[in-house]
Amino acid sequence: MAVLERLGRISFWLGLVAVMLHHHSHGDESSTPGTYQSTYVAGGVAALQPRRALLDINKVRAVNLGGWLVIEKWIKPELFDNIPDGDLLDGAQITLQSTSKGTFMSAEGGGGEQVVVNRASISTWETFKIWRVSGGVYQLRVFNNMFVSAINGGGGTLLATALSPDTWETFNIIRDQANPSLVHIQASNGMYLQARDVNQLTADFEGEPGWDNNDATFVMKVKNGLGGEYQLANGWGASAPAVFKKHRDSFIQEGDFWFLANNGVNAVRIPVGWWIASDPNPPAPYVSGSLQALDNAFQWANNHGIKIIIDLHAAPGSQNGQEHSSSRDGVAEWAVQGGTDYLYESIMTIDFLAGRYANNQALFGIELLNEPGEAVVPFNVLDYYYKWGYSVVRKHTASAYVIMCQRIGGDFAEFVNTLPADNVVLDVHFYNLFNADLFGKTTAQWNIDFINNDRLSLLQKLNTAGNALIFVGEWTNEWEVENASQNDYQRFGAAQVEVFGQATFGWAYWSYQNQLNRWSFKQSVQQGYLQSPSDGWP
């Protein structure tokens, strides 16, 4: 009986969604059901929906607008081209080897003690993370997240004991123009770091060191780190506003909403960053304009019969340490208690977004947080945050869906009963990627079978596991299979569409545009790698 009651509740809410979408799709009474424009005309009649886009389905068929309002370098790498010292963006990892001693700089104990130059090989204590102040000016974060300090601004010892960076923790890194891997490091008082004593690095070299094998010259090797919104904005500095405006104005336009509507898509999931709530004056290094772009998206969505899910993709402090959460250096501090209250700042962002768009007919849902990491976000913290976020959204709207996201690396079902059965959704992300032990060196048919068996079985369990409707909020038509044919991709895509179409809330493809074509919904559809069934998505 409990199962039947649950299914009844699901049918009721999905039926209500269908009515809402059906009513909205007929906003243009001049429309002829079953037809639509063959080409997009800017400022023209709102696009009509193909047969089953909005007229007779009751689930979300969405595409993520990734890389638009939260930057990810791998989606559009050319945004990062020509940044001065572009290899030394925030989060880049460097090692420093003394040319005179042949040994490596190290933060003893991983931080909290002196800085030495006595290591014969490189490991975590010998790796330093860059915080970029400006081109050529940097701060160095060590393994335990403390910062390197030149005591008194220079003239004496170096310690890795600072909890946050200031003047003593700021250094100029000066590169040899003939060989950029050779560097001098200058403290704030103008003196240079030197390895005169391998057991204690000092900042007391006076004058201009040459580029020979002297104590003040180091070999710097760089491992490029993150390429997210923070790195792009801080890297471009004063030029960032122009770079971001050009990207936002061109990457997604109204014609893209027309394209989606005419390819059976009824919603978009739009990743946003926490700084959007303070636009047009976001905290440095973020730049204004993302809020206007989101406003534009709501106008375009209304013009073309598409719903919007706003997704808090990048939370303050970073909820997973990855570039898509706008982490500065790979450290995830969102759930850390004490100091800055990142949960409160996140809630204020949710409150702002819910208040701004609650009465806009295009708003369909608000996702409280994208991909919190299981290793860095405790269950009880996230459970508390989701309940708090739910109450804030409900303060503004009773109809918008409140969406939670699974903890990446955690149990898919752990939050299915966190919130009441009141337009509540759990977002799970399914990729046949990111796990070499499982997905590496497999065949096309193996991946298709995995979707039809393992993913289907999991979805069927999740669909009836608790109060939350289930949303496959990210999936893509890409895999680890080498030399796959177009037909292989078509079959893989068809399997995912069929299986993920059984999720009680629906699915959202990642992402709309991407320099890697199979990750791009637009390119995959245009090139025939992802095919919409003739009668619409199931």
Side-chain angles (χ1 to χ4, degrees):
M1 181 63 69
V3 173
L4 292 176
E5 290 175 352
R6 167 63 181 157
L7 292 176
R9 288 201 306 271
I10 292 173
S11 298
F12 170 79
W13 286 114
L14 291 181
L16 180 59
V17 174
V19 170
M20 291 168 59
L21 294 178
H22 182 84
H23 174 76
H24 179 70
S25 69
H26 286 80
D28 177 9
E29 295 301 330
S30 65
S31 305
T32 302
T35 65
Y36 53 88
Q37 296 168 250
S38 60
T39 58
Y40 168 66
V41 178
V45 177
L48 310 182
Q49 305 305 310
R51 277 173 283 183
R52 293 183 60 196
L54 289 177
L55 300 182
D56 59 354
I57 66 171
N58 56 14
K59 293 182 183 179
V60 169
R61 298 292 178 260
V63 172
N64 285 276
L65 304 188
W68 185 33
L69 304 186
V70 178
I71 300 297
E72 297 183 50
K73 182 178 181 180
W74 71 283
I75 292 178
K76 193 174 180 183
E78 60 266 32
L79 291 172
F80 292 77
D81 291 348
N82 302 316
I83 295 177
D85 283 325
D87 58 338
L88 292 178
L89 300 180
D90 292 274
Q93 299 179 24
I94 66 171
T95 60
L96 294 160
Q97 183 181 26
S98 168
T99 58
S100 64
K101 303 298 188 292
T103 49
F104 292 91
M105 184 189 299
S106 177
E108 201 72 277
E113 301 180 39
Q114 72 269 26
V115 179
V116 299
V117 200
N118 60 12
R119 295 299 198 273
S121 60
I122 298 169
S123 187
T124 53
W125 295 1
E126 294 73 45
T127 301
F128 301 83
K129 286 175 287 190
I130 289 289
W131 275 29
R132 183 182 176 112
V133 178
S134 60
V137 184
Y138 307 96
Q139 295 154 341
L140 303 179
R141 203 176 197 188
V142 301
F143 178 72
N144 75 348
N145 296 329
M146 291 182 174
F147 292 85
V148 174
S149 293
I151 302 304
N152 296 319
T157 59
L158 263 77
L159 302 177
T161 57
L163 297 178
S164 60
D166 205 332
T167 304
W168 291 4
E169 293 75 44
T170 302
F171 303 90
N172 296 321
I173 296 180
I174 302 163
R175 308 175 92 159
D176 180 7
Q177 293 185 355
N179 182 3
S181 65
L182 293 180
V183 299
H184 297 145
I185 304 175
Q186 188 179 41
S188 60
N189 74 346
M191 292 183 180
Y192 292 87
L193 276 57
Q194 64 172 331
R196 183 171 55 187
D197 179 352
V198 296
N199 293 313
Q200 181 63 71
L201 186 67
T202 56
D204 55 2
F205 187 102
E206 298 185 73
E208 293 292 334
W211 294 108
D212 56 353
N213 293 339
N214 62 70
D215 290 344
T217 299
F218 298 85
V219 177
M220 180 177 69
K221 292 187 177 179
V222 182
K223 179 181 178 182
N224 289 332
L226 306 175
E229 183 104 2
Y230 198 102
Q231 287 73 31
L232 186 68
N234 207 30
W236 277 114
S239 300
V243 171
F244 276 80
K245 186 178 189 311
K246 181 179 179 181
H247 171 67
R248 290 167 180 156
D249 289 350
S250 60
F251 194 67
I252 300 293
Q253 299 176 325
E254 183 173 2
D256 297 306
F257 279 72
W258 175 90
F259 176 87
L260 290 169
N262 280 276
N263 281 280
V265 171
N266 62 14
V268 289
R269 178 175 180 257
I270 303 182
V272 301
W274 61 274
W275 54 91
I276 197 171
S278 53
D279 209 324
N281 298 298
Y286 302 108
V287 299
S288 65
S290 60
L291 183 59
Q292 181 60 61
L294 186 58
D295 284 347
N296 293 342
F298 270 87
Q299 180 61 53
W300 301 336
N302 281 312
N303 289 349
H304 298 281
I306 283 180
K307 295 293 185 180
I308 288 179
I309 294 168
I310 308 174
D311 157 42
L312 182 57
H313 214 71
S318 175
Q319 71 275 20
N320 54 35
Q322 299 184 44
E323 65 187 26
H324 64 245
S325 65
S326 196
S327 173
R328 183 168 189 174
D329 63 1
V331 177
E333 298 178 319
W334 179 80
V336 174
Q337 302 300 300
T340 303
D341 192 342
Y342 292 127
L343 269 67
Y344 177 77
E345 290 185 8
S346 301
I347 289 295
M348 291 301 96
T349 303
I350 297 299
D351 188 47
F352 170 81
L353 293 168
R356 188 177 185 87
Y357 298 109
N359 295 321
N360 192 304
Q361 62 181 349
L363 179 67
F364 199 59
I366 294 178
E367 186 152 356
L368 301 175
L369 189 66
N370 175 70
E371 292 192 350
E374 185 268 343
V376 293
V377 178
F379 174 87
N380 65 315
V381 173
L382 192 57
D383 182 75
Y384 172 78
Y385 171 75
Y386 281 156
K387 290 172 180 174
W388 191 5
Y390 170 84
S391 66
V392 168
V393 174
R394 285 289 170 262
K395 180 180 70 174
H396 297 284
T397 169
S399 60
Y401 285 85
V402 179
I403 305 174
M404 304 170 287
C405 187
Q406 66 166 112
R407 286 193 301 171
I408 300 304
D411 182 348
F412 284 103
E414 62 184 356
F415 290 104
V416 291
N417 285 310
T418 288
L419 300 179
D422 173 24
N423 286 10
V424 165
V425 178
L426 176 65
D427 178 7
V428 296
H429 294 174
F430 289 158
Y431 291 104
N432 280 29
L433 295 155
F434 312 125
N435 185 335
D437 292 337
L438 180 59
F439 299 117
K441 299 186 183 303
T442 55
T443 65
Q445 191 58 51
W446 184 94
N447 281 269
I448 293 168
D449 291 342
F450 184 85
I451 297 296
N452 287 327
N453 297 311
D454 296 69
R455 293 297 196 207
L456 176 59
S457 176
L458 176 57
L459 264 182
Q460 289 172 336
K461 292 176 182 177
L462 290 173
N463 280 343
T464 57
N467 290 331
L469 298 172
I470 302 302
F471 178 37
V472 183
E474 290 187 19
W475 66 276
T476 197
N477 204 34
E478 189 55 282
W479 48 14
E480 300 286 357
V481 178
E482 297 180 359
N483 302 315
S485 68
Q486 184 177 33
N487 181 255
D488 289 333
Y489 276 102
Q490 290 172 345
R491 293 190 301 118
F492 182 51
Q496 293 187 92
V497 165
E498 177 63 30
V499 170
F500 301 160
Q502 298 187 43
T504 47
F505 187 74
W507 52 252
Y509 190 96
W510 186 277
S511 58
Y512 177 62
Q513 292 205 84
N514 196 302
Q515 52 118 4
L516 303 173
N517 286 353
R518 301 293 76 78
W519 283 87
S520 166
F521 179 86
K522 183 178 182 180
Q523 294 293 329
S524 293
V525 168
Q526 288 177 330
Q527 297 174 5
Y529 282 79
L530 182 67
Q531 297 179 312
S532 170
S534 60
D535 61 345
W537 304 108

